[in-house]
Structures are given as C-alpha cells and as structure tokens.
Amino acid sequence: MAHQHFKIYKPFGFISQMGSNNIKEKRSKRFISELHPFKDDVMAIGRLDLKSEGLLLMTTDGKLSDTVNRSGIEKEYYAQLDGVITPEAIEKLQKGVEIGIEGKKYLTKPCQAKFIKEEPNFPEPHHLLRVGTHRPNSWLSVTLTEGKFRQVRKMTAVVGFPTLRLVRVRIGTVTLEGMNPSDVIDFPNLPTELNLE
C-alpha cells in the first residue's frame, strides 16, 4: 500500500506529535491529531516547538522521516526579533554562534541569515505572543541545515535579539505559501519534491 504524506501549517500552541499517554499532558496540551483525522501510523518529520508555527511535514513512511531528519536538507525560518537586528549580529549568525544544547556548549554550523525589509504577510500572531508590547522589532530569514532543539531562538538570543515569533516557511523546496494556520494538505509527491526518491 502506498505511503501517505501531508504538509500542515502547525499553529502556535500545538505540540508536534499525535498524542500522549500522559493523562496530565492529554488534558493540558493540544496535539496535531486535532487538525485532521490522521491514521495511527502517521508521524511528524522533525518538530516545531510549542510556540513556533509553520510548515510541518507528516508521513506514514518511517524511512523517509529518518532520511529527511539526517539529510541536512535546508529549513528556512522567519523570525520576528525584539529590536532591530544589526549587520554585525547577522554576520555572527552566518558564521556560527555558541549555544547550549543539553547542558553542553555547541557551535552552530554556518548558515544563511538575511534581514527582511518588508514585514511578511502572515496571519495575525497569537494573542499570547504579545508582539506589540515590545520595543521596535525586525524580521530575519534564517536557513539551517541542522535542527537542534530551539536552535533559532537560542541563536538570536545569543546575539542580543530574542525571537518573539518564529515561523518555518520552507523545508527543501516545499513551502508554506498559500497556507493558513491549521491547514492540512494531502501531499502524495512529497518524496519527489524533496529529491529523496
């Protein structure tokens, strides 16, 4: 039987997993299984943390999931930052910065980082983000080929510009374009799109 693949726009406040066996978590958390009647064998390819939004790929193909996570495929994020980021801070991000991962120091790989002049056309931020209560802010595009836990947030904080809102807009050639929060799109040609067939 053919594998199923999906792309979804994960909203703010949802966990990138189908569910939990923890009763307390089941009561207090929201899972992506709420967005669509997925079959039991569907899994997320990678993750987005609770407060992050954007493109999340889903599949029934465990091998594909593993390949994407290990392939060094590009993942692009738009980060809304507290403060107007400087060229010097952007250059530091591009070269790699030291962040903490599981209690150890980690030097991030060189990445693409560029200032976004015009505010992206995203839906209004979730009210809990309180974006408007901060000082002037700016948008930055960050493209990584790795995916450490909360990596973009840690990187921008290290250079002095904490992330207020984070939206993943692209994985490989697959983009978020035309999607709204909670959208789920059947995506049968995902392996071809990612050049992994």
Side-chain angles (χ1 to χ4, degrees):
M1 200 166 109
H3 283 290
Q4 287 186 300
H5 314 289
F6 304 89
K7 67 174 184 174
I8 74 173
Y9 187 143
K10 187 192 90 66
F12 174 95
F14 280 72
I15 296 181
S16 299
Q17 62 192 55
M18 301 301 283
S20 172
N21 293 324
N22 183 310
I23 293 170
K24 191 177 175 184
E25 264 198 346
K26 276 183 176 177
R27 284 202 200 108
S28 61
K29 309 287 186 190
R30 301 194 72 183
F31 300 94
I32 50 178
S33 53
E34 291 181 43
L35 304 177
H36 184 81
F38 294 110
K39 290 184 179 176
D40 290 343
D41 56 350
V42 173
M43 67 194 85
I45 300 175
R47 293 186 174 234
L48 284 172
D49 67 49
L50 185 73
K51 293 182 178 180
S52 298
E53 313 160 52
L55 184 63
L56 188 65
L57 303 178
M58 311 284 293
T59 186
T60 56
D61 186 347
K63 189 177 176 186
L64 173 69
S65 177
D66 194 50
T67 302
V68 172
N69 288 329
R70 292 171 182 271
S71 67
I73 201 164
E74 285 188 348
K75 299 175 184 75
E76 184 177 6
Y77 302 81
Y78 281 9
Q80 188 174 17
L81 308 177
D82 185 9
V84 180
I85 192 165
T86 62
E88 294 77 19
I90 293 174
E91 190 177 342
K92 285 179 185 174
L93 293 172
Q94 290 168 339
K95 289 178 177 176
V97 293
E98 198 173 81
I99 61 173
I101 301 290
E102 295 176 351
K104 296 177 182 175
K105 291 180 179 177
Y106 176 78
L107 182 65
T108 61
K109 293 179 181 176
C111 70
Q112 297 174 44
K114 58 187 180 189
F115 185 78
I116 300 173
K117 290 178 184 174
E118 291 185 21
E119 188 169 328
N121 187 26
F122 291 133
E124 284 293 306
H126 193 280
H127 66 92
L128 290 178
L129 284 173
R130 298 172 58 189
V131 169
T133 63
H134 295 264
R135 60 198 172 112
N137 55 68
S138 54
W139 282 91
L140 184 74
S141 162
V142 180
T143 302
L144 305 177
T145 54
E146 56 182 341
K148 303 297 182 186
F149 180 64
R150 297 174 68 85
Q151 182 169 342
V152 174
R153 294 179 185 280
K154 290 178 179 180
M155 288 171 67
T156 68
V158 162
V159 297
F161 297 89
T163 294
L164 304 175
R165 185 181 185 188
L166 188 64
V167 185
R168 184 158 64 195
V169 296
R170 179 173 65 86
I171 299 173
T173 56
V174 181
T175 71
L176 194 64
E177 198 172 338
M179 297 183 73
N180 291 305
S182 301
D183 281 355
V184 177
I185 296 175
D186 195 12
F187 204 59
N189 61 334
L190 176 62
T192 309
E193 283 284 327
L194 294 174
N195 296 317
L196 295 174
E197 277 197 326

